[in-house]
Amino acid sequence: MAPQHCTGEKCEPVDYDYVIVGAGPAGLQMAYFLQKAGRQYVVYESHDKAAKFFEQHPRGRKLISLNKKNNFFEEETFNMRHDWNSLLSDDKEMKFTKYSDELYPDASDLHQYLNDYAHRFQLNVKYNTKVKKISKPDSTFTVCIEEAGGETTSCRATCVLMATGAMSENLPEDIEGIELADTYSKHDMDKDLYKNKMMLIIGGGNSAFETANHFSGSAGIVHVAFNKRIQFAWNTHHVGDLRAVNNNIIDMYHLKSLHSTIGSLVTKIAKNEKGKFVVTFKDLNTQWKVPGWLLFDMEYDHVISCMGWRYVNTQLFDEETINVELVKNNRYPKLSNCWETDTKNLFYIGTAMAAIDRKSASGFIHGFRYNIRTLFNLLEQRLFKQSLPHITLPTKDLDAVSKKIIERCTISDSLYQMNGFMCDVMVFDEKIGVTKYYTDLPFRHVMEKPEFKDAKHVFLLHLSYGFDKFGATAAPVDNVHAPDFSTNRCASFLHPYIEYYSHGEYVDQTELQESLIVRYDDWSNANFPQWTSSANENYIKYYINDKLKWSDKVFNLVPIPEEIASSIFIPLNEEEMSRLPPLWEKSECKPSQELLPRSPELVQKRHLRQPWRKYWTL
């Protein structure tokens, strides 16, 4: 049956329900779900293979995406928390973990895996087919393509999904002469060409430091220049920020091994008569009597710009019928909370999904694979009137609801990877006495949907970090102690939040305490398994007991009852209290403390030497 596009009572024939532009990991992932559902779709790929990007990138060939095969537990979804390269499917054999044993695998293995994935599921990919222009003359799209032989044709589709990935390198427009520099994608990788040379690498992200590390053993001096504070992944918990596997150059800088990082703004690049690059820097100096900018020049043999990517090529769109606004220095498309552009039924999938997510992993396979599955379900609802996937539980059997929450917190891969961005939704329907449990919806999109916004009792479950409650100066890497089990508020690492909404309005939230391995089953709480299950069950009862009438009992919302806490907690004695460093930060939760100093005199001495410190670490 040929697909149709319907608006109201009118239906028009179209060639495809969906056109996907690009056969990278995002395009292949969406194609899998569409094929499984029996939808009419096509993937247009300009190259002769899938995922061509990974034939060249990353340039150092080592991925920064984890391939951890041994995770102690057997649940498939739990293990997907630590498999960052596999696409989702029902075939347990189509896992990237079968392609490499390396924790940080080679990009060539990922390229092979993705092409095998396309072949294994016989996805409808048209290779050597370039999309020339996309327009929307009416309620459907017209996609003009150029095939391998040069023939130009077109097709009509209800929905277009842009899975184009990195379209071009980001060259900062405010650097005069930036066109003289090499780029991350095009620079020569032969280390001998840079032997004992002066190199400048512009950028503060993973590509810049990957490049610096590559040449650190051959180049004489490598400078990495960036005009903002480096965001370390261990602090931000964002996988796209600078990873430890790439930051050896910082170690070398602080151990004074010639290579350096420079926190100055590059303003100009020129070439002198010797063929050297003369680079002008602008550095902020605050120690002068009147703080100001210091301008200085340095000479280099090589300059490489590593400033990331742009994810939109607006020339693909007919400007009269399609509107795709650019954001974030024109690098990303402006997207709604369900990844839609300003043009209805035109979506971006894959790395561009990071346009609305800087908390979790939308810019990587292990994040956008879940986004794409969710978008598929949302489109099934919009275009084919399918219900969003959910299970139904009897509301009076709150134990079943609680067990489902514990199960999702314990083994869910999607909530884990898409922390702070994706959530589960529980709708308690008093009229029919059931609870509808929905999984994996964008947090900010939930209350845009009438079925959730209009409901009286709605609970959202998500995994998120809690470092914001410990004050601005509390470094996450300093928090190495057990959490405070006397409260359900002061958990710092990834842990569950349950939020309560009524008629679309936020009412309250509670949290479960953190678990070292983010499991909430009996394995994690072997001594007191009732701690977590009773906490979330009692919280839900607290808010809907007025209608369901379980009992008049006052429910405990604290993870550990006082009688249990007193048996496992030893208060500091008076002498130990005298050695406790002061906590200067006036935050909701107290930052983690290191071991007690040896004497009260040491506490006072360090306090006098460093009175500026907001909180104390030794």
Side-chain angles (χ1 to χ4, degrees), residues 467-500:
F467 286 106
D468 58 306
K469 294 173 293 189
F470 289 80
T473 60
V477 291
D478 290 341
N479 199 328
V480 294
H481 297 279
D484 182 358
F485 286 109
S486 68
T487 174
N488 63 345
R489 281 291 294 162
C490 291
S492 53
F493 283 97
L494 199 64
H495 63 282
Y497 287 69
I498 302 175
E499 299 192 7
Y500 175 54

mmCIF file of all heavy atoms in Angstrom, residues 467-500:
data_model
loop_
_atom_site.group_PDB
_atom_site.id
_atom_site.type_symbol
_atom_site.label_atom_id
_atom_site.label_comp_id
_atom_site.label_asym_id
_atom_site.label_seq_id
_atom_site.Cartn_x
_atom_site.Cartn_y
_atom_site.Cartn_z
ATOM 1 N N PHE A 467 25.198 17.898 42.395
ATOM 2 C CA PHE A 467 26.316 18.717 42.861
ATOM 3 C C PHE A 467 25.940 20.183 43.040
ATOM 4 O O PHE A 467 26.606 20.902 43.778
ATOM 5 C CB PHE A 467 27.485 18.605 41.877
ATOM 6 C CG PHE A 467 28.204 17.288 41.950
ATOM 7 C CD1 PHE A 467 28.050 16.338 40.957
ATOM 8 C CD2 PHE A 467 29.016 16.986 43.026
ATOM 9 C CE1 PHE A 467 28.697 15.130 41.029
ATOM 10 C CE2 PHE A 467 29.675 15.770 43.105
ATOM 11 C CZ PHE A 467 29.514 14.840 42.102
ATOM 12 N N ASP A 468 24.893 20.633 42.372
ATOM 13 C CA ASP A 468 24.496 22.030 42.489
ATOM 14 C C ASP A 468 24.058 22.386 43.904
ATOM 15 O O ASP A 468 24.078 23.551 44.294
ATOM 16 C CB ASP A 468 23.355 22.331 41.512
ATOM 17 C CG ASP A 468 22.144 21.442 41.746
ATOM 18 O OD1 ASP A 468 22.301 20.211 41.765
ATOM 19 O OD2 ASP A 468 21.041 21.987 41.914
ATOM 20 N N LYS A 469 23.701 21.386 44.703
ATOM 21 C CA LYS A 469 23.248 21.651 46.072
ATOM 22 C C LYS A 469 24.413 21.828 47.043
ATOM 23 O O LYS A 469 24.206 22.152 48.212
ATOM 24 C CB LYS A 469 22.352 20.504 46.549
ATOM 25 C CG LYS A 469 21.046 20.394 45.778
ATOM 26 C CD LYS A 469 20.261 19.162 46.150
ATOM 27 C CE LYS A 469 20.957 17.898 45.715
ATOM 28 N NZ LYS A 469 20.139 16.692 45.865
ATOM 29 N N PHE A 470 25.639 21.606 46.578
ATOM 30 C CA PHE A 470 26.807 21.654 47.461
ATOM 31 C C PHE A 470 27.604 22.944 47.315
ATOM 32 O O PHE A 470 28.688 23.072 47.855
ATOM 33 C CB PHE A 470 27.718 20.450 47.187
ATOM 34 C CG PHE A 470 27.135 19.154 47.672
ATOM 35 C CD1 PHE A 470 26.175 18.490 46.928
ATOM 36 C CD2 PHE A 470 27.525 18.607 48.883
ATOM 37 C CE1 PHE A 470 25.622 17.300 47.368
ATOM 38 C CE2 PHE A 470 26.980 17.416 49.333
ATOM 39 C CZ PHE A 470 26.014 16.763 48.583
ATOM 40 N N GLY A 471 27.060 23.916 46.592
ATOM 41 C CA GLY A 471 27.738 25.198 46.477
ATOM 42 C C GLY A 471 28.608 25.274 45.245
ATOM 43 O O GLY A 471 29.113 24.277 44.742
ATOM 44 N N ALA A 472 28.814 26.494 44.797
ATOM 45 C CA ALA A 472 29.530 26.722 43.540
ATOM 46 C C ALA A 472 30.987 26.302 43.606
ATOM 47 O O ALA A 472 31.594 25.990 42.587
ATOM 48 C CB ALA A 472 29.424 28.197 43.154
ATOM 49 N N THR A 473 31.582 26.294 44.789
ATOM 50 C CA THR A 473 33.007 25.999 44.890
ATOM 51 C C THR A 473 33.289 24.536 45.211
ATOM 52 O O THR A 473 34.438 24.149 45.345
ATOM 53 C CB THR A 473 33.661 26.868 45.980
ATOM 54 O OG1 THR A 473 33.030 26.581 47.232
ATOM 55 C CG2 THR A 473 33.506 28.335 45.658
ATOM 56 N N ALA A 474 32.267 23.730 45.356
ATOM 57 C CA ALA A 474 32.472 22.322 45.676
ATOM 58 C C ALA A 474 32.832 21.554 44.411
ATOM 59 O O ALA A 474 32.015 21.392 43.521
ATOM 60 C CB ALA A 474 31.210 21.737 46.311
ATOM 61 N N ALA A 475 34.071 21.112 44.314
ATOM 62 C CA ALA A 475 34.532 20.380 43.138
ATOM 63 C C ALA A 475 34.018 18.940 43.192
ATOM 64 O O ALA A 475 34.241 18.243 44.180
ATOM 65 C CB ALA A 475 36.055 20.384 43.077
ATOM 66 N N PRO A 476 33.338 18.469 42.142
ATOM 67 C CA PRO A 476 32.827 17.095 42.153
ATOM 68 C C PRO A 476 33.897 16.044 42.412
ATOM 69 O O PRO A 476 33.633 15.047 43.077
ATOM 70 C CB PRO A 476 32.222 16.949 40.754
ATOM 71 C CG PRO A 476 31.817 18.332 40.377
ATOM 72 C CD PRO A 476 32.884 19.214 40.967
ATOM 73 N N VAL A 477 35.120 16.270 41.910
ATOM 74 C CA VAL A 477 36.164 15.258 42.098
ATOM 75 C C VAL A 477 36.621 15.165 43.549
ATOM 76 O O VAL A 477 37.308 14.223 43.930
ATOM 77 C CB VAL A 477 37.380 15.537 41.184
ATOM 78 C CG1 VAL A 477 37.023 15.307 39.741
ATOM 79 C CG2 VAL A 477 37.906 16.948 41.390
ATOM 80 N N ASP A 478 36.266 16.166 44.372
ATOM 81 C CA ASP A 478 36.625 16.104 45.791
ATOM 82 C C ASP A 478 35.624 15.288 46.599
ATOM 83 O O ASP A 478 35.880 14.967 47.765
ATOM 84 C CB ASP A 478 36.699 17.519 46.385
ATOM 85 C CG ASP A 478 37.885 18.305 45.856
ATOM 86 O OD1 ASP A 478 38.822 17.664 45.346
ATOM 87 O OD2 ASP A 478 37.857 19.541 45.929
ATOM 88 N N ASN A 479 34.489 14.991 46.015
ATOM 89 C CA ASN A 479 33.439 14.291 46.748
ATOM 90 C C ASN A 479 33.671 12.786 46.629
ATOM 91 O O ASN A 479 33.216 12.141 45.682
ATOM 92 C CB ASN A 479 32.063 14.671 46.198
ATOM 93 C CG ASN A 479 30.970 14.359 47.200
ATOM 94 O OD1 ASN A 479 31.074 13.416 47.966
ATOM 95 N ND2 ASN A 479 29.922 15.165 47.181
ATOM 96 N N VAL A 480 34.374 12.241 47.599
ATOM 97 C CA VAL A 480 34.775 10.830 47.536
ATOM 98 C C VAL A 480 34.273 10.027 48.726
ATOM 99 O O VAL A 480 34.713 8.905 48.960
ATOM 100 C CB VAL A 480 36.316 10.711 47.448
ATOM 101 C CG1 VAL A 480 36.813 11.285 46.132
ATOM 102 C CG2 VAL A 480 36.987 11.429 48.623
ATOM 103 N N HIS A 481 33.347 10.582 49.484
ATOM 104 C CA HIS A 481 32.874 9.934 50.694
ATOM 105 C C HIS A 481 31.481 9.353 50.515
ATOM 106 O O HIS A 481 30.784 9.645 49.539
ATOM 107 C CB HIS A 481 32.878 10.926 51.862
ATOM 108 C CG HIS A 481 34.236 11.433 52.202
ATOM 109 N ND1 HIS A 481 35.117 10.721 52.962
ATOM 110 C CD2 HIS A 481 34.883 12.578 51.853
ATOM 111 C CE1 HIS A 481 36.245 11.410 53.089
ATOM 112 N NE2 HIS A 481 36.119 12.539 52.414
ATOM 113 N N ALA A 482 31.088 8.550 51.466
ATOM 114 C CA ALA A 482 29.734 8.007 51.465
ATOM 115 C C ALA A 482 28.734 9.141 51.612
ATOM 116 O O ALA A 482 29.015 10.147 52.267
ATOM 117 C CB ALA A 482 29.566 6.998 52.601
ATOM 118 N N PRO A 483 27.553 9.009 51.002
ATOM 119 C CA PRO A 483 26.543 10.065 51.130
ATOM 120 C C PRO A 483 25.944 10.099 52.527
ATOM 121 O O PRO A 483 26.103 9.160 53.312
ATOM 122 C CB PRO A 483 25.492 9.665 50.090
ATOM 123 C CG PRO A 483 25.645 8.186 49.976
ATOM 124 C CD PRO A 483 27.110 7.911 50.149
ATOM 125 N N ASP A 484 25.258 11.166 52.828
ATOM 126 C CA ASP A 484 24.601 11.340 54.118
ATOM 127 C C ASP A 484 23.241 10.637 54.079
ATOM 128 O O ASP A 484 22.277 11.147 53.517
ATOM 129 C CB ASP A 484 24.418 12.830 54.406
ATOM 130 C CG ASP A 484 23.772 13.084 55.760
ATOM 131 O OD1 ASP A 484 23.441 12.098 56.449
ATOM 132 O OD2 ASP A 484 23.604 14.255 56.120
ATOM 133 N N PHE A 485 23.181 9.463 54.669
ATOM 134 C CA PHE A 485 21.960 8.669 54.604
ATOM 135 C C PHE A 485 20.867 9.151 55.563
ATOM 136 O O PHE A 485 19.815 8.544 55.648
ATOM 137 C CB PHE A 485 22.270 7.193 54.878
ATOM 138 C CG PHE A 485 22.964 6.510 53.741
ATOM 139 C CD1 PHE A 485 24.297 6.139 53.839
ATOM 140 C CD2 PHE A 485 22.293 6.249 52.559
ATOM 141 C CE1 PHE A 485 24.942 5.512 52.790
ATOM 142 C CE2 PHE A 485 22.927 5.623 51.498
ATOM 143 C CZ PHE A 485 24.264 5.256 51.609
ATOM 144 N N SER A 486 21.131 10.212 56.265
ATOM 145 C CA SER A 486 20.099 10.729 57.158
ATOM 146 C C SER A 486 19.133 11.653 56.430
ATOM 147 O O SER A 486 18.154 12.109 57.001
ATOM 148 C CB SER A 486 20.737 11.472 58.336
ATOM 149 O OG SER A 486 21.367 12.655 57.877
ATOM 150 N N THR A 487 19.430 11.977 55.178
ATOM 151 C CA THR A 487 18.570 12.873 54.408
ATOM 152 C C THR A 487 18.441 12.347 52.992
ATOM 153 O O THR A 487 19.331 11.647 52.496
ATOM 154 C CB THR A 487 19.156 14.299 54.376
ATOM 155 O OG1 THR A 487 18.358 15.095 53.490
ATOM 156 C CG2 THR A 487 20.587 14.302 53.866
ATOM 157 N N ASN A 488 17.342 12.669 52.360
ATOM 158 C CA ASN A 488 17.187 12.281 50.964
ATOM 159 C C ASN A 488 17.481 13.452 50.027
ATOM 160 O O ASN A 488 17.152 13.400 48.856
ATOM 161 C CB ASN A 488 15.767 11.743 50.705
ATOM 162 C CG ASN A 488 14.702 12.805 50.958
ATOM 163 O OD1 ASN A 488 14.970 13.827 51.566
ATOM 164 N ND2 ASN A 488 13.498 12.556 50.489
ATOM 165 N N ARG A 489 18.117 14.496 50.531
ATOM 166 C CA ARG A 489 18.411 15.664 49.710
ATOM 167 C C ARG A 489 19.875 15.784 49.319
ATOM 168 O O ARG A 489 20.189 16.272 48.245
ATOM 169 C CB ARG A 489 17.991 16.943 50.456
ATOM 170 C CG ARG A 489 16.518 17.234 50.394
ATOM 171 C CD ARG A 489 16.095 17.633 48.985
ATOM 172 N NE ARG A 489 16.688 18.900 48.559
ATOM 173 C CZ ARG A 489 16.768 19.282 47.296
ATOM 174 N NH1 ARG A 489 16.343 18.492 46.332
ATOM 175 N NH2 ARG A 489 17.287 20.452 46.986
ATOM 176 N N CYS A 490 20.768 15.358 50.178
ATOM 177 C CA CYS A 490 22.180 15.635 49.946
ATOM 178 C C CYS A 490 22.902 14.458 49.302
ATOM 179 O O CYS A 490 23.834 13.894 49.866
ATOM 180 C CB CYS A 490 22.847 16.058 51.249
ATOM 181 S SG CYS A 490 22.265 17.681 51.819
ATOM 182 N N ALA A 491 22.448 14.091 48.121
ATOM 183 C CA ALA A 491 23.150 13.120 47.291
ATOM 184 C C ALA A 491 23.769 13.883 46.133
ATOM 185 O O ALA A 491 23.140 14.766 45.555
ATOM 186 C CB ALA A 491 22.175 12.055 46.783
ATOM 187 N N SER A 492 25.008 13.578 45.796
ATOM 188 C CA SER A 492 25.721 14.363 44.798
ATOM 189 C C SER A 492 25.831 13.656 43.455
ATOM 190 O O SER A 492 25.555 14.248 42.411
ATOM 191 C CB SER A 492 27.120 14.728 45.315
ATOM 192 O OG SER A 492 27.808 13.566 45.739
ATOM 193 N N PHE A 493 26.222 12.393 43.456
ATOM 194 C CA PHE A 493 26.397 11.690 42.198
ATOM 195 C C PHE A 493 25.046 11.256 41.626
ATOM 196 O O PHE A 493 23.990 11.505 42.212
ATOM 197 C CB PHE A 493 27.344 10.496 42.379
ATOM 198 C CG PHE A 493 28.784 10.909 42.442
ATOM 199 C CD1 PHE A 493 29.420 11.079 43.659
ATOM 200 C CD2 PHE A 493 29.513 11.157 41.292
ATOM 201 C CE1 PHE A 493 30.749 11.480 43.738
ATOM 202 C CE2 PHE A 493 30.834 11.551 41.345
ATOM 203 C CZ PHE A 493 31.456 11.724 42.569
ATOM 204 N N LEU A 494 25.094 10.617 40.491
ATOM 205 C CA LEU A 494 23.881 10.236 39.771
ATOM 206 C C LEU A 494 22.952 9.424 40.665
ATOM 207 O O LEU A 494 23.349 8.407 41.220
ATOM 208 C CB LEU A 494 24.276 9.419 38.538
ATOM 209 C CG LEU A 494 23.244 9.297 37.428
ATOM 210 C CD1 LEU A 494 22.945 10.663 36.820
ATOM 211 C CD2 LEU A 494 23.734 8.335 36.355
ATOM 212 N N HIS A 495 21.699 9.887 40.783
ATOM 213 C CA HIS A 495 20.732 9.203 41.636
ATOM 214 C C HIS A 495 19.318 9.561 41.190
ATOM 215 O O HIS A 495 19.116 10.522 40.447
ATOM 216 C CB HIS A 495 20.943 9.572 43.114
ATOM 217 C CG HIS A 495 20.724 11.018 43.424
ATOM 218 N ND1 HIS A 495 21.656 11.992 43.131
ATOM 219 C CD2 HIS A 495 19.671 11.671 43.994
ATOM 220 C CE1 HIS A 495 21.197 13.175 43.507
ATOM 221 N NE2 HIS A 495 19.991 13.008 44.024
ATOM 222 N N PRO A 496 18.300 8.817 41.633
ATOM 223 C CA PRO A 496 16.943 9.040 41.150
ATOM 224 C C PRO A 496 16.261 10.245 41.812
ATOM 225 O O PRO A 496 16.413 10.499 43.004
ATOM 226 C CB PRO A 496 16.205 7.743 41.538
ATOM 227 C CG PRO A 496 17.275 6.754 41.843
ATOM 228 C CD PRO A 496 18.416 7.550 42.384
ATOM 229 N N TYR A 497 15.496 10.947 41.010
ATOM 230 C CA TYR A 497 14.583 11.997 41.451
ATOM 231 C C TYR A 497 13.159 11.571 41.081
ATOM 232 O O TYR A 497 12.937 11.029 39.985
ATOM 233 C CB TYR A 497 14.869 13.329 40.753
ATOM 234 C CG TYR A 497 16.103 14.054 41.206
ATOM 235 C CD1 TYR A 497 17.380 13.563 40.932
ATOM 236 C CD2 TYR A 497 16.013 15.265 41.883
ATOM 237 C CE1 TYR A 497 18.515 14.243 41.327
ATOM 238 C CE2 TYR A 497 17.144 15.962 42.283
ATOM 239 C CZ TYR A 497 18.393 15.449 42.003
ATOM 240 O OH TYR A 497 19.523 16.130 42.394
ATOM 241 N N ILE A 498 12.219 11.807 41.965
ATOM 242 C CA ILE A 498 10.808 11.608 41.658
ATOM 243 C C ILE A 498 10.115 12.951 41.844
ATOM 244 O O ILE A 498 10.150 13.529 42.936
ATOM 245 C CB ILE A 498 10.164 10.551 42.573
ATOM 246 C CG1 ILE A 498 10.906 9.214 42.457
ATOM 247 C CG2 ILE A 498 8.688 10.361 42.213
ATOM 248 C CD1 ILE A 498 10.408 8.160 43.424
ATOM 249 N N GLU A 499 9.522 13.456 40.781
ATOM 250 C CA GLU A 499 8.856 14.761 40.823
ATOM 251 C C GLU A 499 7.349 14.576 40.668
ATOM 252 O O GLU A 499 6.894 13.730 39.882
ATOM 253 C CB GLU A 499 9.390 15.673 39.726
ATOM 254 C CG GLU A 499 10.877 15.954 39.846
ATOM 255 C CD GLU A 499 11.344 17.072 38.935
ATOM 256 O OE1 GLU A 499 10.473 17.723 38.296
ATOM 257 O OE2 GLU A 499 12.559 17.298 38.851
ATOM 258 N N TYR A 500 6.601 15.374 41.397
ATOM 259 C CA TYR A 500 5.143 15.289 41.370
ATOM 260 C C TYR A 500 4.554 16.525 40.706
ATOM 261 O O TYR A 500 4.904 17.656 41.047
ATOM 262 C CB TYR A 500 4.598 15.153 42.795
ATOM 263 C CG TYR A 500 3.087 15.180 42.889
ATOM 264 C CD1 TYR A 500 2.307 14.305 42.140
ATOM 265 C CD2 TYR A 500 2.446 16.084 43.731
ATOM 266 C CE1 TYR A 500 0.924 14.334 42.225
ATOM 267 C CE2 TYR A 500 1.060 16.125 43.827
ATOM 268 C CZ TYR A 500 0.301 15.250 43.060
ATOM 269 O OH TYR A 500 -1.065 15.276 43.152
#
